[in-house]
Amino acid sequence: VCDRRCSGALPRDWPRIDVSLEEEVRVTHGNPVLCALDVPLTRIFNKKGEFMAIGEIESGWAHPRVVLTSKPLVRSSELKAEA
């Protein structure tokens, strides 16, 4: 993932996207989410402001490449409440 496109850049310098509770579940499973950024890499945060993944942007989608949690941090009841 980190080739010449991000040479010398640190993750804190990359743009950030914040995902919904539903998108958080997708990210924790390694599935992409829509993203309007035009950069190669991004940091992905959940609604609680927790850094959860590094995403690679391809064709308007942020593909999680490094996920920092192995299970969703949300309960199914929280997903229903958001809908």
Side-chain angles (χ1 to χ4, degrees):
V1 169
C2 194
D3 55 19
R4 61 185 168 80
R5 294 175 293 169
C6 64
S7 178
L10 297 174
R12 69 173 181 255
D13 298 327
W14 301 344
R16 160 189 183 141
I17 61 171
D18 295 285
V19 296
S20 68
L21 294 173
E22 184 177 329
E23 291 170 321
E24 179 179 348
V25 174
R26 292 185 52 79
V27 169
T28 59
H29 288 96
N31 296 308
V33 292
L34 282 173
C35 178
L37 295 174
D38 187 24
V39 295
L41 297 167
T42 186
R43 299 170 299 146
I44 302 173
F45 287 78
N46 65 18
K47 287 189 84 145
K48 297 177 184 176
E50 299 166 325
F51 177 46
M52 58 180 297
I54 293 174
E56 183 174 24
I57 309 297
E58 296 173 353
S59 303
W61 292 90
H63 298 267
R65 298 301 188 211
V66 178
V67 178
L68 304 175
T69 183
S70 61
K71 60 183 178 179
L73 301 175
V74 297
R75 296 180 181 97
S76 59
S77 61
E78 291 179 280
L79 287 174
K80 291 176 187 172
E82 185 181 81

